[in-house]
Each structure stands twice: as structure tokens, then as C-alpha cells.
Amino acid sequence: SKEALNEEYIPFLIESGYKVILIIRDPRDVLSSMNRGKGELYYGDIRPTLFNIRNWRKSVAYAIEFEDDKNFLLIQYENLIENPTDELNAVFDFLNVGNISAEHFSETIKDQDGNEWKSNSSFVSKSNITKDSIGTYKKELDESTVKYIETVAGPEMIYLGYLNSFANNYEDIINSFKEPFSITRKEIPIDY
């Protein structure tokens, strides 16, 4: 599911002996996906950027909290897209099930019913794995929004390798940020 609120169950599930796989994606691409293209179809009405960044940071907090737990596996979305065979075999090993071969992805991917699988991309639905969804923020987000995301989520982005260093002028970046999206969620105040 693309809903970060499901992560609230991670501690309970792990404590109950269930295995949990958490996929984390570059937050710049997450915001791009949520607020552009068909994002509203998957996420609902647009939420404030800070709200979304806080949810992303919470995802990373769960990853850090459970990184050494035998029932927890972190997969970075970009690694899954760039090396699907290796990453899925890591998942299969984690679940103690068989492996797949690279040839599995050379043809159209089938769903559990044998039908052609379609991605749930906010931009272009495809029936194969492509790297097109990596770095979409470069086309979809303005520089101010990118700098804001990198500043607010900087420590977590560095931890996961999405960023190399933290901005020195973080106060200026945060204080000058103007919400670029029209917030349509009535339950979240416009001045969030």
C-alpha cells in the first residue's frame, strides 16, 4: 500500500512475530508522485509538503528502530527498480521461499491471476519495471521545494544515501519556503 499510516502497525506486527517489509523511496520523488500526475487518485486530496515530509521521516525512523530485527527488512525503492532480481531474491530469502531468475523480468510481468500486471504509477502505467520513476522530482518540483525537502529530511536522506551533505543555510530555506501546492484537505489547516 502507498499509505504511510499503515506503518503504525510495524511495532505490533514485529512484536507478534510477523515479518515486515518496508519500502522507502527518495522523498523528493515521493512528493512528486503524490502531488503531480495521478497522485490524488492514489493518495487522495493534496496534503501540505511538511505533513508529507514528516510522514516520510517517520518511515525512516521505523527503519532505524528495527534495522537489526530478524523480522524486519528495509528495501529502498530505487534498488528494487534498478536491480529487481537481486532485491526480490533478498525478499524471498527473508520470507524463506524460493528465488527467481533474471529472465523473470525479461517479459511482461503477470499478476497473481496470470493477467498482465500494470504499475500504479502517478505518471505512466506500464506492465514492466522501468527506471522512469526515479528522479521524477527533477522535472516535477521547483528548486525551492527540492531544497526544502532536502533540508527538513536531510539527516534521514543522508542516512539512506539520498543526499551527501546538509544545507548550511537551513533556516533561510525553511523560513522562505512557500507551499507550492493547493492544499485541498479540509481536515488539515492551510497554515500547517
Side-chain angles (χ1 to χ4, degrees):
S1 171
K2 286 188 170 188
E3 182 54 66
L5 298 177
N6 290 334
E7 295 168 4
E8 299 290 332
Y9 298 103
I10 289 175
F12 171 80
L13 291 169
I14 288 177
E15 288 171 17
S16 298
Y18 291 95
K19 292 190 175 210
V20 172
I21 301 168
L22 177 61
I23 300 177
I24 293 182
R25 184 180 186 188
D26 184 319
R28 298 164 294 193
D29 281 336
V30 169
L31 269 285
S32 175
S33 177
M34 292 177 87
N35 297 330
R36 300 283 192 215
K38 296 184 286 186
E40 286 186 63
L41 175 67
Y42 299 108
Y43 300 104
D45 293 339
I46 294 177
R47 304 170 190 155
T49 299
L50 182 58
F51 181 91
N52 292 323
I53 294 171
R54 285 178 168 163
N55 275 321
W56 184 86
R57 291 182 70 208
K58 183 177 66 169
S59 299
V60 179
Y62 282 123
I64 293 168
E65 174 71 22
F66 295 104
E67 69 184 337
D68 295 325
D69 194 292
K70 66 179 175 57
N71 286 332
F72 180 81
L73 179 64
L74 171 65
I75 298 286
Q76 285 183 253
Y77 173 86
E78 296 77 14
N79 294 341
L80 180 62
I81 297 303
E82 292 175 348
N83 302 301
T85 303
D86 293 343
E87 293 298 309
L88 286 175
N89 280 328
V91 169
F92 294 163
D93 288 344
F94 175 70
L95 298 173
N96 298 315
V97 296
N99 287 327
I100 60 168
S101 67
E103 290 80 39
H104 184 80
F105 298 105
S106 62
E107 298 176 11
T108 301
I109 299 172
K110 304 288 184 187
D111 66 15
Q112 63 269 23
D113 297 321
N115 299 317
E116 184 177 329
W117 170 82
K118 291 285 188 189
S119 68
N120 62 351
S121 170
S122 296
F123 296 102
V124 178
S125 183
K126 297 187 177 190
S127 59
N128 61 350
I129 297 174
T130 83
K131 298 177 186 177
D132 296 349
S133 60
I134 298 174
T136 57
Y137 75 90
K138 295 172 186 172
K139 296 180 291 190
E140 300 294 333
L141 300 178
D142 63 84
E143 184 179 344
S144 171
T145 303
V146 171
K147 285 183 189 247
Y148 182 71
I149 294 167
E150 292 173 350
T151 301
V152 175
E156 293 84 2
M157 291 180 73
I158 291 170
Y159 176 81
L160 292 172
Y162 292 124
L163 201 60
N164 294 322
S165 62
F166 197 64
N168 293 333
N169 59 338
Y170 61 89
E171 287 184 28
D172 294 338
I173 292 170
I174 291 170
N175 291 330
S176 65
F177 178 72
K178 303 272 189 271
E179 179 63 57
F181 306 106
S182 298
I183 307 307
T184 54
R185 292 262 177 153
K186 293 178 178 68
E187 70 274 19
I188 300 176
I190 193 68
D191 61 351
Y192 178 87

